[in-house]
Amino acid sequence: MIGVILILSSILDYITLAIPFEPLDAQWQISFTGQIVDRGIVPLVGIAFMLVGYWIEASLSSPGKKLSFDLRLPVFILASLMGLIFLLLVPLHLNNLRQAQTDVISQINQNAGEAENRIRTQFEQLNNLSQDPQRLEELNNRIREIDTAINSGQVQGQRLNPEQLQNLNQTKQQLENFRQLAQNPEALEARLNELQTQLGDRKRERENRAKTEAFKQGIRTGLSSLMLAVGYIAIGWLGLKNMGKPPVSNKKAAVR
């Protein structure tokens, strides 16, 4: 009875995990495979309970007596099917992880490329600013206007609240940084190289993290699924092979 309950509860659990059912989604397949492999030992324990119960009843029963239940055939067939499923999940899961890793790295490269383009655009803007005295003077005027507003605490006759004052200070700091970089080409070039180096480091770190995570999931879920497949197939194959053989206790009783 315990074995039947464990098997039925596992089947119900698997059905629940499959909702919402999206078999064509690689991420759904990865998540579903990981969860059913994590729970794969439960039906195996249920099958073991059922076979142990049958063996105990067969050992204690008298020769020629028909057992009250004999679910060995469906249990061995179920074990064989479960073993086949877990065996097929190994290459499927590894392939999904490989594809997911490729997608993640592609997204990382795309984001890094966009970030590098933004950095180069800012660099070109600052470089153009350094070569245009009129635009540089406009920047200086804008900084002076912000200074005046901060010192007076008013903008166009309206008093500044603390949040507006903080925003003006931040804007002033950014503009001053732009001016400093625009007036110092060497510092501007050094800053560009620094940002590109940081961007490259973050990109490599994210790529390594994605590869490590895919490797860990592949090893953990792949090996677990393979071991479960071996266990289920061994029970199913050996059980079906020995189905026609009588229990050992009945053999001894017949000799006597």
Side-chain angles (χ1 to χ4, degrees):
M1 180 62 71
I2 296 177
V4 174
I5 293 174
L6 287 175
I7 293 174
L8 293 179
S9 65
S10 297
I11 294 175
L12 179 61
D13 192 24
Y14 290 162
I15 294 174
T16 304
L17 291 173
I19 301 173
F21 189 63
E22 300 175 353
L24 299 180
D25 185 356
Q27 288 297 330
W28 180 89
Q29 293 181 20
I30 292 173
S31 176
F32 182 64
T33 299
Q35 292 181 84
I36 64 174
V37 169
D38 288 341
R39 294 164 170 79
I41 193 66
V42 178
L44 186 62
V45 173
I47 291 174
F49 269 118
M50 293 184 65
L51 296 179
V52 169
Y54 171 82
W55 177 78
I56 292 175
E57 184 172 357
S59 299
L60 298 178
S61 62
S62 57
K65 181 181 178 181
K66 187 177 181 179
L67 299 178
S68 60
F69 73 97
D70 190 354
L71 298 176
R72 288 180 300 166
L73 181 60
V75 167
F76 293 144
I77 293 176
L78 175 62
S80 300
L81 289 176
M82 293 286 288
L84 179 61
I85 290 173
F86 281 111
L87 186 61
L88 293 176
L89 284 178
V90 176
L92 176 63
H93 186 64
L94 294 179
N95 182 66
N96 285 333
L97 286 176
R98 181 189 60 79
Q99 183 61 46
Q101 175 186 314
T102 301
D103 293 341
V104 169
I105 292 179
S106 176
Q107 185 64 42
I108 291 173
N109 290 331
Q110 180 180 347
N111 293 339
E114 293 174 354
E116 186 172 0
N117 289 335
R118 288 194 298 269
I119 292 173
R120 287 193 172 277
T121 299
Q122 288 184 349
F123 172 77
E124 291 175 359
Q125 291 175 347
L126 289 171
N127 192 39
N128 293 333
L129 180 62
S130 65
Q131 300 175 7
D132 189 342
Q134 182 178 354
R135 292 180 60 188
L136 190 58
E137 183 61 27
E138 291 176 356
L139 177 61
N140 291 329
N141 291 336
R142 177 57 180 160
I143 293 174
R144 283 193 290 267
E145 289 175 0
I146 294 177
D147 268 335
T148 301
I150 294 174
N151 294 331
S152 65
Q154 293 181 350
V155 173
Q156 297 178 350
Q158 295 183 355
R159 188 166 186 81
L160 296 172
N161 59 41
E163 182 178 354
Q164 291 173 325
L165 187 60
Q166 181 180 1
N167 291 336
L168 283 177
N169 281 311
Q170 291 177 351
T171 302
K172 175 189 173 184
Q173 184 63 44
Q174 292 175 355
L175 294 178
E176 286 179 342
N177 291 337
F178 287 156
R179 181 176 62 182
Q180 181 180 0
L181 290 173
Q183 293 175 339
N184 190 343
E186 294 181 358
L188 180 59
E189 186 70 26
R191 180 58 177 165
L192 174 64
N193 293 333
E194 180 185 355
L195 291 176
Q196 289 178 329
T197 300
Q198 291 177 357
L199 184 62
D201 292 341
R202 286 197 297 267
K203 175 186 172 184
R204 285 189 293 271
E205 180 183 353
R206 291 172 182 172
E207 287 179 346
N208 291 335
R209 190 183 305 126
K211 292 177 182 178
T212 301
E213 186 63 27
F215 177 77
K216 287 168 58 179
Q217 287 191 35
I219 291 295
R220 178 178 176 275
T221 304
L223 287 181
S224 297
S225 185
L226 182 61
M227 289 188 291
L228 287 170
V230 171
Y232 280 109
I233 291 175
I235 291 176
W237 183 75
L238 291 176
L240 292 173
K241 179 181 178 182
N242 298 319
M243 270 292 294
K245 297 181 180 180
V248 177
S249 58
N250 288 351
K251 280 184 177 181
K252 291 181 178 179
V255 172
R256 293 176 185 173

